[in-house]
Amino acid sequence: MRGAQFIVPLLAIMLLWKHISPILMLMVMALLLASILAPLVDFVESRLGGSRIGGVLAVYVTIISLIVAMASMLIPILIEEASDMASAFQGQSLETLAVSLKNSLTDVLPPDAYSYVEANMGTWLAKSGSFIQSLLGDLAGIMGKLFAMVMNMVLVLVFTFILLLESRNFKMKIIGAVPNAYFEMAMNLLHKIDGQVSGYLRGQGAAAATVGVLSTIGLYTLSWLLGVNIPYAFIIGMLAGFANLIPFIGPFVGMVPAILAYLMTPQLDGISAVVPVFIITMFLLVQMIDNFFVSPKIMSASVGMHPLVVIVVIMVGNSIMGPLGMLFAVPAFGVIRVTLEEVVWGLKAYHIL
Amino acid sequence: MFLDKYRSITQLKHMRNGIWENIFKRKNRELSETAFALRNVPIFSSLSKRELREIERLVHHREYTSGEVIFNHGDPGLGMYIIIKGTVQIVNNQDRDNIIVYSELGDGDFFGDLALVDDSDRSATAQSSGDTRLIAFFRPEMQAILTRFPALGNKIMVGLAEVIAQRLRKTNEYLIEVQQQAAEASPAPDSGSKAETA
């Protein structure tokens, strides 16, 4: 019975869902990573005369070497910025930070806006305090989570390695199980979905990297040109890059911390209202470069989403996985949408719908 | 008549005489059934054993029972099929009451090869008549070969171009033949008056 080979594993998955869902999540991540790396592995494989294992190993060694090289260059900057941040906050409660921010804002904001900020500062402070508390938890918890994260990353890399090596056999097995009536449709869909999803993910990754690098360069350039101190430029730039995965909201995620960092840092010539305007302009410029020059060239699929859809998706992501879910909800939704679009196309093209 | 010519082209096989058959007997024995079937298709006939094994890894094996549809008229074309064993009918079944059988293909024949070039809709329905074993080679795999092994991809494309060129040549010959037959059957309307004036 052909159906049994689908029903039995499906029932087993439903019964053991609680135990296997974390592993499934890692496998999904590995699947996404494999679909990003596959074209690179294919290219290297062809250069190595058709050795798949050689291609996969070469890509892995190159990527790991690049990560190690970048980490050895960037981690000292990150540690320096993080320790600067820690010493800036050391001995200061959120209240004292708020007072220094309020003092800075008196020079920058018009009186009406300032009185609004002053009136609401208490509420914002309470909210941000509880948010930070929930985010950090206790140190032991953080260390445990860090260890689990590293282990998960290693597992994802192992899964990705196997997927890259065996992807053709897996595909053959999946296609082999499809009934004759849907064979061509399944094959066509699998190919189209694979192309669209990997194109979408590569596009998102490239856009995030572009925004991250340009924002960091922009902040350093502003500091140098205006002769002001905008600290934590590297961390803020990276944050802006990651946040770019979230449309509409992402750009502000980099902009706001950059302005706050400037306002909360003692400046030689005092706080100037012009600098935040320059910071905003710089982030808008980065967004324009991304939207007009980078994304249209690299995005293979139409991924325009209504703002309302984005907000709902982010809320769903938050309820499922917390802050990390907020970050990856939109790309995950993008992948699901592209897949569904192709399935609908397939059903129509093969006269099933 | 046209369909017979079409069939003769799709059945193109390498002519081998007894001596050559003998010399290559040992080599042929080393080839699997799939690789052997592939080598007998003009598109893949120029491929080395190593290259045939590469293609062998990419083809799909399917089994059909009598009357099962392989692809329908109007479906987006995806690739070609080679018959390992059995019979496949190429039919026009748009009118359910009047099904026209264009061609009946047997062991070693291939069909659907134009879909390796583009995704135009299938121009006819293919269905098995009797238990049939097929191997399928699809455009995504063809494109992957062109990217990963350009030399091998080029060989296949040249083979495909040769098959299409030969088919076009035969079609042209057939058209000329039909035109000549039509001309002989009905003399030119003004030929009589021309003769009179001469």
Side-chain angles (χ1 to χ4, degrees):
Chain A
M1 203 172 79
R2 201 181 271 270
Q5 60 189 340
F6 295 108
I7 294 166
V8 173
L10 207 69
L11 277 174
I13 288 172
M14 281 166 76
L15 284 171
L16 299 168
W17 178 251
K18 196 182 161 190
H19 303 287
I20 59 172
S21 62
I23 299 162
L24 272 181
M25 185 63 87
L26 295 181
M27 289 187 82
V28 168
M29 285 169 81
L31 207 65
L32 297 179
L33 190 61
S35 102
I36 293 170
L37 294 178
L40 193 62
V41 172
D42 287 346
F43 175 76
V44 179
E45 183 193 354
S46 69
R47 289 285 171 274
L48 293 176
S51 163
R52 187 70 180 174
I53 180 99
V56 178
L57 277 174
V59 168
Y60 256 63
V61 168
T62 312
I63 287 176
I64 290 170
S65 310
L66 274 174
I67 290 172
V68 170
M70 275 179 73
S72 62
M73 278 193 314
L74 301 178
I75 283 179
I77 304 174
L78 265 172
I79 291 173
E80 194 188 334
E81 288 194 357
S83 59
D84 281 357
M85 213 185 269
S87 58
F89 289 161
Q90 212 165 25
Q92 291 189 62
S93 62
L94 271 175
E95 283 76 11
T96 44
L97 284 172
V99 170
S100 77
L101 183 61
K102 262 200 273 185
N103 292 339
S104 304
L105 290 176
T106 43
D107 303 329
V108 179
L109 292 178
D112 286 353
Y114 178 73
S115 59
Y116 175 76
V117 170
E118 197 179 25
N120 287 291
M121 188 65 95
T123 329
W124 294 344
L125 214 56
K127 276 185 185 167
S128 58
S130 62
F131 176 70
I132 290 168
Q133 213 170 14
S134 67
L135 204 66
L136 294 178
D138 60 331
L139 196 65
I142 290 175
M143 291 307 286
K145 277 177 186 167
L146 206 68
F147 180 72
M149 210 167 89
V150 171
M151 285 308 292
N152 284 344
M153 273 173 68
V154 171
L155 272 176
V156 167
L157 284 176
V158 172
F159 286 157
T160 308
F161 188 90
I162 296 167
L163 281 174
L164 283 170
L165 205 60
E166 294 290 329
S167 57
R168 275 176 222 147
N169 290 341
F170 288 151
K171 262 187 209 167
M172 286 282 189
K173 288 236 157 60
I174 294 168
I175 288 291
V178 174
N180 284 336
Y182 307 107
F183 169 53
E184 274 211 0
M185 188 188 79
M187 183 69 205
N188 210 344
L189 278 182
L190 205 67
H191 170 65
K192 276 182 173 281
I193 289 168
D194 192 29
Q196 292 280 30
V197 167
S198 57
Y200 172 73
L201 290 173
R202 272 196 297 275
Q204 289 283 343
T210 309
V211 169
V213 170
L214 287 180
S215 302
T216 308
I217 294 172
L219 286 174
Y220 278 124
T221 311
L222 276 184
S223 300
W224 175 67
L225 278 178
L226 303 174
V228 293
N229 183 13
I230 306 172
Y232 328 123
F234 186 74
I235 290 179
I236 291 168
M238 292 302 106
L239 185 72
F242 272 115
N244 198 62
L245 295 171
I246 311 168
F248 310 114
I249 298 162
F252 298 100
V253 174
M255 201 185 282
V256 173
I259 295 170
L260 285 177
Y262 165 73
L263 292 176
M264 288 162 73
T265 310
Q267 305 288 338
L268 280 175
D269 304 325
I271 299 290
S272 158
V274 183
V275 178
V277 175
F278 272 109
I279 292 174
I280 291 169
T281 313
M282 187 276 291
F283 274 101
L284 289 177
L285 204 68
V286 169
Q287 281 302 313
M288 277 167 69
I289 292 171
D290 174 35
N291 291 336
F292 294 126
F293 301 108
V294 182
S295 289
K297 286 230 171 4
I298 52 182
M299 289 283 178
S300 63
S302 155
V303 287
M305 288 181 203
H306 194 276
L308 198 68
V309 175
V310 171
I311 292 165
V312 171
V313 166
I314 291 168
M315 282 163 72
V316 172
N318 182 40
S319 73
I320 295 173
M321 276 182 73
L324 208 64
M326 285 171 78
L327 192 65
F328 289 107
V330 174
F333 181 76
V335 167
I336 294 167
R337 206 182 75 158
V338 165
T339 307
L340 284 178
E341 275 173 4
E342 290 304 331
V343 170
V344 170
W345 171 85
L347 293 173
K348 279 183 181 163
Y350 286 89
H351 313 105
I352 294 169
L353 267 188
Chain B
M1 189 179 174
F2 174 73
L3 293 171
D4 289 343
K5 282 180 187 294
Y6 174 84
R7 188 163 189 270
S8 73
I9 301 159
T10 60
Q11 282 179 319
L12 278 172
K13 286 170 192 165
H14 271 237
M15 297 296 289
R16 297 185 200 90
N17 61 35
I19 299 165
W20 291 109
E21 284 276 331
N22 249 348
I23 290 171
F24 288 111
K25 216 170 182 179
R26 259 177 78 133
K27 278 190 169 181
N28 289 346
R29 217 181 288 151
E30 291 166 29
L31 287 174
S32 69
E33 187 188 34
T34 307
F36 194 77
L38 283 168
R39 206 194 54 179
N40 282 336
V41 172
I43 297 170
F44 305 106
S45 60
S46 63
L47 269 52
S48 67
K49 272 205 290 186
R50 197 171 150 266
E51 289 168 333
L52 283 171
R53 285 202 191 97
E54 192 59 47
I55 305 293
E56 195 183 348
R57 284 170 50 204
L58 300 173
V59 298
H60 301 263
H61 294 259
R62 307 296 297 185
E63 283 178 17
Y64 295 81
T65 53
S66 185
E68 255 194 299
V69 170
I70 298 152
F71 55 72
N72 272 306
H73 172 270
D75 284 355
L78 192 64
M80 68 177 291
Y81 293 84
I82 301 159
I83 305 169
I84 299 281
K85 193 137 196 67
T87 313
V88 170
Q89 286 184 329
I90 309 294
V91 301
N92 179 347
N93 61 351
Q94 283 176 289
D95 180 3
R96 294 279 163 193
D97 299 326
N98 181 28
I99 294 174
I100 304 162
V101 179
Y102 287 149
S103 179
E104 196 164 86
L105 308 171
D107 297 1
D109 290 344
F110 61 97
F111 56 97
D113 43 301
L114 280 182
L116 287 178
V117 183
D118 68 5
D119 62 351
S120 298
D121 292 350
R122 299 284 193 190
S123 55
T125 296
Q127 62 181 38
S128 65
S129 63
D131 289 348
T132 305
R133 279 198 299 132
L134 302 174
I135 52 176
F137 179 63
F138 290 141
R139 199 173 53 254
E141 271 89 38
M142 173 77 228
Q143 286 163 345
I145 288 174
L146 278 167
T147 317
R148 280 172 28 226
F149 311 108
L152 171 57
N154 276 339
K155 273 188 184 179
I156 300 171
M157 286 313 271
V158 168
L160 187 60
E162 278 171 3
V163 167
I164 294 169
Q166 201 147 2
R167 199 173 289 159
L168 191 63
R169 212 169 289 130
K170 291 271 179 189
T171 310
N172 285 343
E173 282 170 14
Y174 175 67
L175 277 175
I176 291 166
E177 216 175 284
V178 169
Q179 273 178 339
Q180 280 172 351
Q181 280 172 4
E184 281 166 19
S186 57
D190 56 346
S191 61
S193 58
K194 268 184 188 169
E196 272 177 28
T197 45

